[in-house]
Amino acid sequence: GFAPKTHLIGMSWGGFFSSRYAANFPEDVADLYLDCPVMGFHDFKFENYLGKKSCWAQEDGAAHDWLNDPLMPVNLAGRIAAAKLPILLLYGGKDKTVPPAGNCELFLKRLRAAGGDAQVVCRPENDHHPHGYTDKADFRKVVDFFASHE
């Protein structure tokens, strides 16, 4: 009784894991809803988020070249584009927790350069929270997005 493919939802850190899953197992993914997603560690303060060593690389925090690390979702955009996965991306234009320029906007640039596309909603005055659509009239858009890829 389970659906043959999953609808992935990735908010903040969840966006990191959802994007990595989609890049590695695209045959199991129907679509991807990302909301202020973490797409790499290059603009993180490691002492606040990851400690001295990261479980994602064998390098010490800030010394590692995270921007080019092949395990970071920002560097998996080409694989996601090749899979032609439908993507709905929401983010706050004033996000200080997960800065758009180094995360979702860089991911979008690389996704589009690789021939992929996404439905994008930038809430220009929003910070990292609240996630999702803030207008009750818009809530249905996420449900409709998922329903259109069953």
Side-chain angles (χ1 to χ4, degrees):
F2 288 118
K5 294 186 177 196
T6 186
H7 302 285
L8 290 177
I9 299 172
M11 296 183 181
S12 195
W13 269 110
F16 181 88
F17 298 108
S18 294
S19 299
R20 284 175 44 90
Y21 187 90
N24 288 296
F25 304 102
E27 67 280 2
D28 296 332
V29 178
D31 46 30
L32 190 56
Y33 165 48
L34 301 171
D35 191 322
C36 301
V38 173
M39 299 306 255
F41 299 161
H42 51 280
D43 57 2
F44 270 21
K45 293 181 179 154
F46 282 84
E47 63 276 8
N48 294 339
Y49 294 98
L50 301 173
K52 281 189 119 184
K53 279 264 194 193
S54 168
C55 59
W56 303 104
Q58 298 301 310
E59 303 289 337
D60 284 335
H64 184 65
D65 181 11
W66 292 110
L67 186 59
N68 295 303
D69 188 303
L71 298 177
M72 297 295 107
V74 73
N75 297 317
L76 298 172
R79 288 167 61 181
I80 294 172
K84 304 276 189 237
L85 295 175
I87 299 170
L88 173 60
L89 172 67
L90 277 72
Y91 69 97
K94 293 185 179 177
D95 190 335
K96 293 178 217 68
T97 305
V98 182
N103 288 279
C104 56
E105 291 174 354
L106 181 57
F107 174 78
L108 278 170
K109 178 180 176 184
R110 292 178 177 181
L111 180 80
R112 289 176 174 152
D117 198 18
Q119 191 178 334
V120 180
V121 178
C122 175
R123 298 162 299 167
E125 298 304 314
N126 283 37
D127 195 354
H128 191 66
H129 295 105
H131 287 293
Y133 284 100
T134 53
D135 183 346
K136 287 184 181 181
D138 289 332
F139 288 158
R140 184 80 198 164
K141 291 179 182 178
V142 175
V143 174
D144 291 344
F145 171 76
F146 287 141
S148 68
H149 305 114
E150 298 222 344

